[in-house]
Amino acid sequence: MRILNLLLQILLIIGIVTSSSNVYYCNSNDPNNYCKDVIITQKEIGKWNQGNRGGSEYTQWEVTLENKLDFSLTQFYILRDYTLKIRDRKSIWNVQEIESTNNLILPTYQNSIGSKSNWIFGFILQDSQPANLTLEAISF
């Protein structure tokens, strides 16, 4: 939680999040748990072995973040872990990585995800299993 607060302060300073944003930390014990209406799904797009990289196995994934809420999201904070083994820096798109906090966030060129809308991003992993992605917080 302390790391996420630090991330939010940094994002405020560089202008990605405004001070008028309402940040909600996901809490399954909260009766108003907004995060239950923000769904993350991963779909395997393709899998291959790349001979010029030592025969390594790669898998392309499409990730959909579905906003089922009655209001727009101005930011999301998806916690990632060691399972997000990106092939290289060019193998992740439509999402911004915050290395210091292990978060994925909405890229700067997208200012919101509308109510009842989706945001799609993707990556190529050095593995055949999907990455562990957990919605940690949202802003609205």
Side-chain angles (χ1 to χ4, degrees), residues 19-87:
S19 59
S20 62
S21 296
N22 294 307
V23 177
Y24 175 80
Y25 298 94
C26 300
N27 178 354
S28 60
N29 296 323
D30 181 351
N32 298 317
N33 183 10
Y34 294 118
C35 293
K36 72 177 175 20
D37 292 322
V38 180
I39 312 298
I40 299 172
T41 56
Q42 297 184 65
K43 176 182 171 187
E44 183 180 309
I45 301 300
K47 186 183 297 191
W48 66 94
N49 286 320
Q50 198 159 349
N52 65 343
R53 292 189 182 214
S56 297
E57 184 175 47
Y58 296 99
T59 308
Q60 181 177 337
W61 295 92
E62 177 182 275
V63 181
T64 301
L65 186 132
E66 182 180 2
N67 176 13
K68 293 183 170 186
L69 295 165
D70 292 328
F71 48 87
S72 294
L73 299 178
T74 57
Q75 191 55 271
F76 59 76
Y77 305 89
I78 297 174
L79 184 62
R80 63 178 175 87
D81 66 10
Y82 69 94
T83 60
L84 190 75
K85 296 182 279 193
I86 303 295
R87 179 180 67 173

